[in-house]
Amino acid sequence: MIHEKYFELAKEQEVYLSRKNKKSDFYNGIYDRYEYPVLTREHVPLTWRYDLNKETNPFFMERLGINAVMNSGAIYMNGKYYLVVRIEGNDRKSFFGVAVSDNGVDNFRFADRPVLLPDTCPEETNVYDMRLTRHEDGYIYGVFCSESKDTSVNDLSAAVAAAGIVRTKDLVNWERLDNLKTLRSPQQRNVCLHPEFVDGKYAFYTRPMDDFIETGSGGGIGFGLSESIEHAVIDEERMTSIRRYHTITESKNGAGATPIKTDRGWIHIAHGVRNTAAGLRYVIYAFATALDDPGRVIAEPGGLLIGPRGGERVGDVSNVVFTNGAIVNDRDEVFIYYASSDTRMHVATTTLDKLIDYVFNTPADALRSVDCVKQRIGLIDGNLELLGKTNLPGLRGE
Ligand code: BGC
Ligand code: BMA
């Protein structure tokens, strides 16, 4: 017999899922933010969490709770917006779930069941953060972090991060391929497959790391080619967007959404990390690479594109925004899906024109305070001239 509480919760959940989202009053001219998150743990079907049977679950308890919903890959298919999101159980293990919406900003619904990846990697403990790439070879690829225990050292928390690769045509049937091998980097996280062949090869954005947390000598987001996708191997990784002292990428950076092709270049929406007394702070930034060489940076606006604001700052891993998926729809509208504080998913929307303008016309980081002030005074002087004033009111020395 179905527990009566189920019907009550199902009704409440339906109200929550069908709530209309609206743009918030945040303004920067670059993108819009939204009032509500697009996916939270409350979106996860009740059937994934509760045993509905009154005989076996008389108190209607969550038997397998969900802790968080975050860091999703994204793809536009048949006019709909699909997210392959990282779902973290109360047991700290993550897995992937597919959710779909008609408009990309609300009413996301999960498929009946989460994704069950082929179990080809017995040592793998956790999987997360899938980047989806519609490749010109005809497949949709998912590249994700595959984490295993590092048994070579006597440290319970030591782990190894590698890039797992799956492919699908329908987001239902998934074929698992070999993990990516990078011959010169012991660990990899935040790997993303480029949508097109480069010199006839599969091209990956990588994030070379010396160990599980520290990128060490890894200087930033790498780029490397592989002959095969079934047994992907990268020998040399060259650097694209690099980490720099006293910028938003000082501690780490990594590829985010699959690059977006535009007339001016490939636009990348990535993440940068700096260390603070309150722990690592993750923000989202953007850069562009050349159409004829997607590993070469041709524009990099200074500073962050999206930083954690208000309630976004609070969660399991506070002070984090993180993206691994964006969608451009058939009207050239852009949907940047990002998670806040490893807890919930949001969307920021813009257009391709605005994104191009942002990436190519925002000044680069001048790297030193004095040069940054000069940059800003240049902006102010232009404005004052336009306004017909030569100095600020009250400071004219009159
Ligand atoms: C967590 C990730 C995190 C990584 C590095 C993993 O165990 O699941 O969310 O990014 O550690 O801190
Ligand atoms: C990482 C990522 C994410 C996560 C972030 C903050 O290194 O791979 O999974 O959002 O840390 O915890």
Side-chain angles (χ1 to χ4, degrees), residues 70-71 86 128-129 189-190 252 282 317 320 322 342:
M70 56 174 143
N71 302 3
R86 170 183 185 177
Y128 50 94
D129 302 359
R189 194 169 18 243
N190 300 306
K252 312 193 224 192
Y282 281 67
V317 186
V320 167
F322 188 89
D342 284 5

Side-chain angles (χ1 to χ4, degrees), residues 2-11 46-47 52 60:
I2 301 172
H3 202 294
E4 62 279 1
K5 187 77 181 168
Y6 166 70
F7 298 101
E8 192 186 309
L9 294 188
K11 222 168 129 191
L46 299 172
T47 49
L52 307 191
F60 207 65

Side-chain angles (χ1 to χ4, degrees), residues 114-126:
V115 176
L116 182 62
L117 292 176
D119 188 6
T120 56
C121 245
E123 68 285 1
E124 182 177 84
T125 305
N126 201 28

Side-chain angles (χ1 to χ4, degrees), residues 286-343:
F287 63 95
T289 58
L291 289 176
D292 61 359
D293 177 5
R296 181 167 59 85
V297 175
I298 54 170
E300 191 163 304
L304 57 87
L305 171 63
I306 305 177
R309 291 282 179 270
E312 296 176 351
R313 291 192 61 258
V314 181
D316 278 2
V317 186
S318 288
N319 216 4
V320 167
V321 285
F322 188 89
T323 184
N324 49 303
I327 282 176
V328 182
N329 69 13
D330 49 16
R331 295 185 298 283
D332 283 351
E333 294 164 332
V334 181
F335 296 69
I336 302 168
Y337 292 98
Y338 68 97
S340 68
S341 297
D342 284 5
T343 299

Side-chain angles (χ1 to χ4, degrees), residues 136-360:
E136 61 175 332
D137 76 0
Y139 280 100
I140 296 169
Y141 288 89
V143 181
F144 56 94
C145 183
S146 156
E147 187 175 314
S148 311
K149 178 147 177 44
D150 182 353
T151 49
S152 69
V153 287
N154 188 21
D155 169 0
L156 183 65
S157 299
V160 183
I165 307 175
V166 284
R167 68 181 169 193
T168 181
K169 295 230 159 151
D170 52 13
L171 303 183
V172 177
N173 300 296
W174 300 83
E175 176 191 1
R176 179 122 191 207
L177 308 175
D178 284 356
N179 286 356
L180 171 70
K181 283 198 185 71
T182 43
L183 300 182
R184 304 185 194 200
S185 311
Q187 303 223 15
Q188 287 288 347
R189 194 169 18 243
N190 300 306
V191 174
C192 178
L193 178 65
H194 188 70
E196 295 183 357
F197 289 111
V198 175
D199 301 335
K201 297 180 183 150
Y202 288 91
F204 290 89
Y205 299 94
T206 63
R207 212 281 298 279
M209 299 161 73
D210 289 350
D211 74 13
F212 185 68
I213 300 292
E214 302 291 337
T215 56
S217 54
I221 301 174
F223 180 76
L225 303 177
S226 169
E227 300 276 351
S228 154
I229 191 73
E230 287 84 6
H231 315 284
V233 180
I234 292 174
D235 183 359
E236 197 191 346
E237 289 160 87
R238 66 182 162 103
M239 284 300 135
T240 65
S241 174
I242 57 168
R243 292 163 44 210
R244 286 194 180 90
Y245 169 66
H246 221 283
T247 66
I248 53 145
T249 60
E250 183 182 280
S251 299
K252 312 193 224 192
N253 60 348
T258 308
I260 299 170
K261 194 174 191 177
T262 73
D263 298 346
R264 301 280 304 272
W266 292 95
I267 292 186
H268 301 250
I269 307 171
H271 69 272
V273 185
R274 75 169 163 109
N275 212 348
T276 75
L280 297 177
R281 171 171 157 93
Y282 281 67
V283 299
I284 293 168
Y285 77 107
F287 63 95
T289 58
L291 289 176
D292 61 359
D293 177 5
R296 181 167 59 85
V297 175
I298 54 170
E300 191 163 304
L304 57 87
L305 171 63
I306 305 177
R309 291 282 179 270
E312 296 176 351
R313 291 192 61 258
V314 181
D316 278 2
V317 186
S318 288
N319 216 4
V320 167
V321 285
F322 188 89
T323 184
N324 49 303
I327 282 176
V328 182
N329 69 13
D330 49 16
R331 295 185 298 283
D332 283 351
E333 294 164 332
V334 181
F335 296 69
I336 302 168
Y337 292 98
Y338 68 97
S340 68
S341 297
D342 284 5
T343 299
R344 55 191 95 71
M345 288 297 308
H346 310 260
V347 68
T349 56
T350 182
T351 63
L352 215 46
D353 284 350
K354 287 190 195 176
L355 198 58
I356 293 170
D357 191 326
Y358 170 78
V359 170
F360 289 95

